[in-house]
Amino acid sequence: MSIGSLLLVNAAHPYRLQGPGPALTALEPESSVLLCQPAARALARLLDAVGGRQALVPVSGWRSHREQSLLYAQSVEENGPAFTAQYVAKPGCSEHETGLAIDMGLRLPEIDFIRPSFPDEGVCRAFRRQGARFGFILRYPQGKEAVTGIAWEPWHFRYVGTPHAQIMEERGLVLEEYIDFLRSFARQAPFQCRQQGRLVSIFHWPGSQPPEDLDLQAWEIASTNAGGWICTRVEP
């Protein structure tokens, strides 16, 4: 069972940490930038695939609740509340607290921690276009501000895993829309598609507890943090 990969965290759905929190790993030796382990492994493969090890740098990954609180307060003081509301989530409402979000930037002498440079060209474009294949989505795309509540952030990527990232990209859905889309597919009539020639079946399970009779060798069950669970099966 996967608790985290499809967690929806925003102003309407705060992150409620249960237990010890995500298992984190450093992205580089002696790096202070951390991600949950599946996301860190996928990011490493993505960087290798686009040849981005030298040109790109992970700017910000997991943040504790305290770190997010300090960042929010600092931004309000330095940039004002209007700017902060666009680019910095309130404490408890930031994906960074889950260990599933990563801000990427070009490796420059000076890097803006809140808005790192990530242009739509070169290796940055390759990273963005290849991301879904490794489970990453551009979390706050242009034109979806009214849905996400966050301004366009071309540097902010979110690990949702495969095949979800590919489906979201193909349908032009952000995470809020994707979870709403899946609500209409029940266990008796799941959403189905093919990814890389393999049949994918996905359904939404309402309620506070996941289904107890699914074969966990075949199905992955992920909490949404928005009421219910997403159950996914990819044929062998």
Side-chain angles (χ1 to χ4, degrees), residues 99-113:
L100 294 164
I102 184 70
D103 291 344
M104 299 294 299
L106 284 173
R107 195 180 295 273
L108 301 172
E110 294 185 8
I111 298 176
D112 187 328
F113 186 79

PDB file of all heavy atoms in Angstrom, residues 99-113:
ATOM      1  N   GLY A  99       7.441  15.478   1.265  1.00  0.00           N
ATOM      2  CA  GLY A  99       8.620  14.841   0.693  1.00  0.00           C
ATOM      3  C   GLY A  99       8.422  14.386  -0.740  1.00  0.00           C
ATOM      4  O   GLY A  99       9.251  13.657  -1.287  1.00  0.00           O
ATOM      5  N   LEU A 100       7.326  14.820  -1.377  1.00  0.00           N
ATOM      6  CA  LEU A 100       7.011  14.408  -2.746  1.00  0.00           C
ATOM      7  C   LEU A 100       7.223  15.523  -3.763  1.00  0.00           C
ATOM      8  O   LEU A 100       7.062  15.289  -4.963  1.00  0.00           O
ATOM      9  CB  LEU A 100       5.547  13.943  -2.817  1.00  0.00           C
ATOM     10  CG  LEU A 100       5.210  12.678  -2.041  1.00  0.00           C
ATOM     11  CD1 LEU A 100       3.700  12.554  -1.864  1.00  0.00           C
ATOM     12  CD2 LEU A 100       5.769  11.451  -2.734  1.00  0.00           C
ATOM     13  N   ALA A 101       7.557  16.722  -3.312  1.00  0.00           N
ATOM     14  CA  ALA A 101       7.702  17.873  -4.202  1.00  0.00           C
ATOM     15  C   ALA A 101       9.156  18.317  -4.274  1.00  0.00           C
ATOM     16  O   ALA A 101       9.884  18.262  -3.280  1.00  0.00           O
ATOM     17  CB  ALA A 101       6.829  19.030  -3.714  1.00  0.00           C
ATOM     18  N   ILE A 102       9.542  18.765  -5.459  1.00  0.00           N
ATOM     19  CA  ILE A 102      10.911  19.240  -5.648  1.00  0.00           C
ATOM     20  C   ILE A 102      10.902  20.495  -6.517  1.00  0.00           C
ATOM     21  O   ILE A 102      10.225  20.546  -7.546  1.00  0.00           O
ATOM     22  CB  ILE A 102      11.800  18.149  -6.302  1.00  0.00           C
ATOM     23  CG1 ILE A 102      13.246  18.612  -6.414  1.00  0.00           C
ATOM     24  CG2 ILE A 102      11.246  17.704  -7.639  1.00  0.00           C
ATOM     25  CD1 ILE A 102      13.971  18.724  -5.101  1.00  0.00           C
ATOM     26  N   ASP A 103      11.590  21.513  -6.074  1.00  0.00           N
ATOM     27  CA  ASP A 103      11.824  22.701  -6.886  1.00  0.00           C
ATOM     28  C   ASP A 103      13.180  22.542  -7.557  1.00  0.00           C
ATOM     29  O   ASP A 103      14.191  22.311  -6.887  1.00  0.00           O
ATOM     30  CB  ASP A 103      11.837  23.966  -6.023  1.00  0.00           C
ATOM     31  CG  ASP A 103      10.460  24.301  -5.453  1.00  0.00           C
ATOM     32  OD1 ASP A 103       9.467  23.753  -5.957  1.00  0.00           O
ATOM     33  OD2 ASP A 103      10.397  25.111  -4.519  1.00  0.00           O
ATOM     34  N   MET A 104      13.192  22.668  -8.892  1.00  0.00           N
ATOM     35  CA  MET A 104      14.417  22.521  -9.659  1.00  0.00           C
ATOM     36  C   MET A 104      14.843  23.868 -10.230  1.00  0.00           C
ATOM     37  O   MET A 104      14.005  24.734 -10.498  1.00  0.00           O
ATOM     38  CB  MET A 104      14.210  21.529 -10.808  1.00  0.00           C
ATOM     39  CG  MET A 104      13.845  20.127 -10.384  1.00  0.00           C
ATOM     40  SD  MET A 104      15.166  19.276  -9.476  1.00  0.00           S
ATOM     41  CE  MET A 104      16.483  19.269 -10.714  1.00  0.00           C
ATOM     42  N   GLY A 105      16.143  24.046 -10.442  1.00  0.00           N
ATOM     43  CA  GLY A 105      16.626  25.281 -11.028  1.00  0.00           C
ATOM     44  C   GLY A 105      17.882  25.058 -11.827  1.00  0.00           C
ATOM     45  O   GLY A 105      18.571  24.037 -11.682  1.00  0.00           O
ATOM     46  N   LEU A 106      18.165  26.015 -12.698  1.00  0.00           N
ATOM     47  CA  LEU A 106      19.450  25.988 -13.384  1.00  0.00           C
ATOM     48  C   LEU A 106      20.558  26.219 -12.371  1.00  0.00           C
ATOM     49  O   LEU A 106      20.404  26.990 -11.416  1.00  0.00           O
ATOM     50  CB  LEU A 106      19.496  27.079 -14.457  1.00  0.00           C
ATOM     51  CG  LEU A 106      18.729  26.816 -15.755  1.00  0.00           C
ATOM     52  CD1 LEU A 106      18.750  28.068 -16.622  1.00  0.00           C
ATOM     53  CD2 LEU A 106      19.329  25.633 -16.509  1.00  0.00           C
ATOM     54  N   ARG A 107      21.681  25.564 -12.584  1.00  0.00           N
ATOM     55  CA  ARG A 107      22.819  25.727 -11.689  1.00  0.00           C
ATOM     56  C   ARG A 107      23.517  27.047 -12.019  1.00  0.00           C
ATOM     57  O   ARG A 107      24.317  27.147 -12.947  1.00  0.00           O
ATOM     58  CB  ARG A 107      23.791  24.559 -11.840  1.00  0.00           C
ATOM     59  CG  ARG A 107      24.807  24.454 -10.712  1.00  0.00           C
ATOM     60  CD  ARG A 107      25.744  23.274 -10.937  1.00  0.00           C
ATOM     61  NE  ARG A 107      25.057  21.999 -10.882  1.00  0.00           N
ATOM     62  CZ  ARG A 107      24.846  21.313  -9.757  1.00  0.00           C
ATOM     63  NH1 ARG A 107      25.264  21.793  -8.601  1.00  0.00           N
ATOM     64  NH2 ARG A 107      24.212  20.152  -9.799  1.00  0.00           N
ATOM     65  N   LEU A 108      23.173  28.101 -11.282  1.00  0.00           N
ATOM     66  CA  LEU A 108      23.686  29.445 -11.496  1.00  0.00           C
ATOM     67  C   LEU A 108      24.446  29.911 -10.265  1.00  0.00           C
ATOM     68  O   LEU A 108      24.272  29.354  -9.174  1.00  0.00           O
ATOM     69  CB  LEU A 108      22.519  30.406 -11.786  1.00  0.00           C
ATOM     70  CG  LEU A 108      21.645  30.071 -13.012  1.00  0.00           C
ATOM     71  CD1 LEU A 108      20.422  30.984 -13.047  1.00  0.00           C
ATOM     72  CD2 LEU A 108      22.458  30.203 -14.285  1.00  0.00           C
ATOM     73  N   PRO A 109      25.286  30.954 -10.409  1.00  0.00           N
ATOM     74  CA  PRO A 109      26.010  31.472  -9.238  1.00  0.00           C
ATOM     75  C   PRO A 109      25.079  31.897  -8.112  1.00  0.00           C
ATOM     76  O   PRO A 109      25.383  31.734  -6.933  1.00  0.00           O
ATOM     77  CB  PRO A 109      26.787  32.661  -9.815  1.00  0.00           C
ATOM     78  CG  PRO A 109      26.952  32.339 -11.262  1.00  0.00           C
ATOM     79  CD  PRO A 109      25.703  31.614 -11.661  1.00  0.00           C
ATOM     80  N   GLU A 110      23.914  32.462  -8.470  1.00  0.00           N
ATOM     81  CA  GLU A 110      22.925  32.852  -7.477  1.00  0.00           C
ATOM     82  C   GLU A 110      21.581  32.234  -7.867  1.00  0.00           C
ATOM     83  O   GLU A 110      21.157  32.339  -9.013  1.00  0.00           O
ATOM     84  CB  GLU A 110      22.799  34.373  -7.384  1.00  0.00           C
ATOM     85  CG  GLU A 110      24.060  35.052  -6.851  1.00  0.00           C
ATOM     86  CD  GLU A 110      23.861  36.538  -6.647  1.00  0.00           C
ATOM     87  OE1 GLU A 110      22.702  37.012  -6.783  1.00  0.00           O
ATOM     88  OE2 GLU A 110      24.839  37.233  -6.338  1.00  0.00           O
ATOM     89  N   ILE A 111      20.924  31.593  -6.907  1.00  0.00           N
ATOM     90  CA  ILE A 111      19.654  30.908  -7.167  1.00  0.00           C
ATOM     91  C   ILE A 111      18.592  31.474  -6.233  1.00  0.00           C
ATOM     92  O   ILE A 111      18.786  31.532  -5.020  1.00  0.00           O
ATOM     93  CB  ILE A 111      19.796  29.388  -6.959  1.00  0.00           C
ATOM     94  CG1 ILE A 111      20.828  28.814  -7.940  1.00  0.00           C
ATOM     95  CG2 ILE A 111      18.448  28.700  -7.138  1.00  0.00           C
ATOM     96  CD1 ILE A 111      21.108  27.344  -7.738  1.00  0.00           C
ATOM     97  N   ASP A 112      17.485  31.894  -6.812  1.00  0.00           N
ATOM     98  CA  ASP A 112      16.346  32.379  -6.037  1.00  0.00           C
ATOM     99  C   ASP A 112      15.664  31.169  -5.397  1.00  0.00           C
ATOM    100  O   ASP A 112      15.159  30.289  -6.096  1.00  0.00           O
ATOM    101  CB  ASP A 112      15.376  33.113  -6.960  1.00  0.00           C
ATOM    102  CG  ASP A 112      14.232  33.797  -6.208  1.00  0.00           C
ATOM    103  OD1 ASP A 112      13.812  33.274  -5.158  1.00  0.00           O
ATOM    104  OD2 ASP A 112      13.754  34.844  -6.673  1.00  0.00           O
ATOM    105  N   PHE A 113      15.642  31.110  -4.079  1.00  0.00           N
ATOM    106  CA  PHE A 113      15.105  29.944  -3.380  1.00  0.00           C
ATOM    107  C   PHE A 113      13.612  29.775  -3.636  1.00  0.00           C
ATOM    108  O   PHE A 113      13.117  28.638  -3.730  1.00  0.00           O
ATOM    109  CB  PHE A 113      15.365  30.070  -1.875  1.00  0.00           C
ATOM    110  CG  PHE A 113      14.972  28.852  -1.080  1.00  0.00           C
ATOM    111  CD1 PHE A 113      15.790  27.731  -1.054  1.00  0.00           C
ATOM    112  CD2 PHE A 113      13.783  28.818  -0.362  1.00  0.00           C
ATOM    113  CE1 PHE A 113      15.429  26.599  -0.323  1.00  0.00           C
ATOM    114  CE2 PHE A 113      13.418  27.700   0.374  1.00  0.00           C
ATOM    115  CZ  PHE A 113      14.244  26.589   0.391  1.00  0.00           C
TER     116      PHE A 113
END
